[in-house]
């Protein structure tokens, strides 16, 4: 039976990939710094191991597996420096398939080059790699904006009036599972999006209907966003990280849809309405 080493297994995408692979009867090693948490999460159906990009002694656990999913934690501008030693290790010691979770439009952010550097690093190796570049996750609203939405009735992202095709974590995971398991796919880069682009005004309207209470999009400029985050006690680096990323929406860099989800999984992508209803009902 084929086996897969899934990093970030307790996170938004990793969790869904583990679930998707288990449903297809694969053997899964769920790799995080908190194996106890992942053991509970997957009901012991996956093998949970302690893995840390910062600890080379944990790298050889990939041996004997058929594929690796590399997920780097968010909010880390030094992501390339964190992940590079692991890629260096597998470059010399691994012959299985490798999928990297990058991001839609991140190659345009010259001041935050970590995903582009990782993509280039993988492309420079003899590894059997594939790359996915998903758009903003639909699940971000439930994961990161819930307090603003449910307690303050507001969406507070510095995304301007830009539209972007949010994509469901479930669809991203299904696409990654295909790339990990399909022997015919090699050296491909897929931009993963939903079928339709929405502005944050559109999202506020959808949430208003789902929650039955008015939700407004505050459309903060970057100074207001930075000040509100600071006043709420958030460290400066969060605004430094989020403002350029939302800038990709604001300036239209990530407004186009692709049909990669359907092409890879054979299914239409989930709609934002479906995911918001699931997360907020
Ligand atoms: N959110 C979006 O809209 C979006 C869009 C496109 C791309 N992305 C990219 O997606 C990635 C984040 O994925 P996600 O949202 O699924 O992550 P997440 O939910 O924040 O989970 C991060 C995972 O990484 C693990 N982790 C953290 N530090 C680690 C370390 N030093 N060694 C090993 N594992 C570590 C965490 O587990 P432990 O803490 O237990 O170790 C956790 O399982 C980022 O690279 C981001 O740029 C995000």
């Amino acid at each position: 039976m084929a086996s897969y080493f899934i990093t970030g297994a307790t996170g938004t995408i990793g969790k869904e990939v583990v679930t998707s692979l288990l449903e297809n009867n694969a053997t899964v090693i769920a790799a995080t710094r908190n194996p106890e948490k992942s053991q509970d999460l997957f009901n012991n159906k996956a093998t949970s191991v302690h893995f840390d990009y910062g600890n080379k002694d944990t790298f050889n656990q990939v041996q004997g597996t058929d594929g690796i999913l590399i997920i780097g934690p968010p909010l880390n501008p030094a992501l390339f420096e964190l992940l590079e030693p692991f890629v260096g290790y597998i470059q010399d010691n691994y012959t299985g398939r490798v999928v990297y979770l990058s991001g839609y439009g991140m190659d345009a952010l010259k001041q935050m080059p970590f995903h582009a550097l990782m993509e280039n690093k993988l492309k420079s190796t003899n590894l059997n790699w594939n790359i996915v570049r998903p758009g903003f996750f639909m699940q971000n609203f439930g994961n990161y904006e819930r307090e603003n939405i449910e307690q303050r009735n507001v969406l507070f992202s510095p995304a301007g009036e830009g539209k972007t095709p949010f994509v469901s974590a479930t669809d991203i995971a299904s696409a990654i599972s295909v790339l990990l398991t399909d022997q015919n796919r090699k050296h491909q880069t897929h931009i993963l999006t939903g079928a339709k682009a929405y502005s944050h005004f559109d999202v506020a309207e959808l949430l208003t209907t789902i929650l039955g209470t008015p939700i407004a999009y505050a459309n903060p400029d970057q100074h207001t966003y930075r000040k509100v985050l600071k006043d709420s006690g958030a460290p400066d680096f969060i605004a430094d990280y989020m403002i350029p990323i939302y800038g990709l929406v604001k300036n239209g860099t990530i407004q186009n849809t692709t049909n990669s989800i359907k092409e890879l999984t054979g299914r239409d992508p989930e709609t934002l309405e479906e995911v918001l209803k699931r997360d907020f009902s």
Side-chain angles (χ1 to χ4, degrees), residues 9 36 82 112 135 163 170 209 215 217:
E36 306 76 23
L82 178 67
M112 292 170 69
K163 292 193 174 208
T170 315
T209 307
I215 306 294
Y217 171 44

Side-chain angles (χ1 to χ4, degrees), residues 8-14 32-34 51-54 71-74 79 82 101-103 114-115 134-137 140 144 241:
T10 47
T12 307
I13 301 300
T32 73
R33 295 167 305 170
N34 291 298
F51 171 77
D52 186 345
Y53 288 113
I71 295 180
L79 190 65
L82 178 67
L101 178 70
S102 179
F114 46 85
H115 280 317
F136 272 66
F137 305 164
N140 288 349
Y144 302 120
Y241 187 98

Side-chain angles (χ1 to χ4, degrees), residues 164-178:
T164 199
F166 299 94
V167 58
S168 167
T170 315
D171 289 329
I172 298 168
S174 303
I176 288 173
S177 300
V178 170

Side-chain angles (χ1 to χ4, degrees), residues 96-144:
R97 306 173 64 72
V98 177
V99 175
Y100 178 61
L101 178 70
S102 179
Y104 183 16
M106 292 298 287
D107 51 331
L109 276 189
K110 301 301 174 211
Q111 72 274 44
M112 292 170 69
F114 46 85
H115 280 317
L117 289 170
M118 270 298 290
E119 290 191 13
N120 289 338
K121 171 86 187 175
L122 282 169
K123 288 174 186 171
S124 74
T125 68
N126 289 323
L127 286 163
N128 190 343
W129 57 264
N130 286 294
I131 291 165
V132 291
R133 294 176 170 181
F136 272 66
F137 305 164
M138 292 174 176
Q139 282 75 4
N140 288 349
F141 296 103
N143 289 346
Y144 302 120

Side-chain angles (χ1 to χ4, degrees), residues 141-211:
F141 296 103
N143 289 346
Y144 302 120
E145 301 290 328
R146 187 176 293 280
E147 202 177 306
N148 272 336
I149 294 166
E150 292 182 341
Q151 295 180 18
R152 303 182 189 95
N153 296 350
V154 75
L155 265 183
F156 199 76
S157 312
E161 298 177 12
K163 292 193 174 208
T164 199
F166 299 94
V167 58
S168 167
T170 315
D171 289 329
I172 298 168
S174 303
I176 288 173
S177 300
V178 170
L179 291 171
L180 278 171
T181 53
D182 184 345
Q183 305 293 327
N184 296 319
R185 296 193 178 266
K186 186 178 173 182
H187 298 168
Q188 298 183 353
T189 300
H190 293 273
I191 294 173
L192 306 178
T193 76
K196 183 180 160 191
Y198 299 80
S199 71
H200 279 66
F201 290 109
D202 300 331
V203 180
E205 226 175 282
L206 289 176
L207 286 166
T208 296
T209 307
I210 292 166
L211 293 168

